[in-house]
Amino acid sequence: MSTDPSSTNRTQTVQGHDTGANHTGTANTDTDALETQQTTGITPESLKSTLEKQLHATFVQIEDMSGGCGQMFGAHIVSPQFEGKARLARHRLVNTTLKEEIKVIHAWTPKCYTPAEWQKELAKQ
């Protein structure tokens, strides 16, 4: 079995900084996850801030779903910019907004709502 030499011993780079993450981009412990977040600067708080500023989101909830790697996030995002857009267009808008961040994190699951849709979602609970 041969290995692709270009895939071994690589590290990821974000905004000109070596993240120190191995080529799989995963961390093995909570300490590794915290170090990865500190090195990349990508945290639930930084993702939330970017979405609020760029998409004028009225509500953003980011959940670290990584189970230890610190780079797997789920999100509920409410923005009037989603009005009249299909789900795919909403996801593209969010992914374009977080383009640099998504290059580093290994899993991203956004759920996008208009303010009216979010109110209906809350009413179900």
Side-chain angles (χ1 to χ4, degrees), residues 69-121:
C69 78
Q71 295 298 292
M72 182 171 139
F73 301 99
H76 289 87
I77 307 160
V78 180
S79 173
Q81 290 190 20
F82 298 145
E83 294 285 348
K85 291 182 172 53
R87 183 185 316 176
L88 182 59
R90 294 173 185 191
H91 285 205
R92 285 180 177 159
L93 180 61
V94 169
N95 292 349
T96 299
T97 301
L98 297 176
K99 183 178 179 181
E100 293 303 312
E101 292 86 345
I102 289 173
K103 287 179 183 178
V104 176
I105 61 180
H106 73 264
W108 171 247
T109 307
K111 293 184 180 177
C112 306
Y113 304 90
T114 65
E117 291 168 341
W118 184 244
Q119 289 305 313
K120 287 180 186 176
E121 192 70 23

Side-chain angles (χ1 to χ4, degrees), residues 20-71:
N22 64 28
H23 71 280
T24 62
T26 59
N28 297 317
T29 66
D30 288 343
T31 302
D32 290 343
L34 183 58
E35 287 176 11
T36 299
Q37 288 181 356
Q38 289 174 341
T39 303
T40 64
I42 299 172
T43 64
E45 296 78 19
S46 69
L47 294 170
K48 179 180 178 178
S49 176
T50 299
L51 292 167
E52 287 172 340
K53 289 176 188 171
Q54 299 297 317
L55 297 180
H56 306 286
T58 57
F59 177 80
V60 178
Q61 180 181 34
I62 306 289
E63 179 183 359
D64 183 344
M65 302 167 38
S66 67
C69 78
Q71 295 298 292

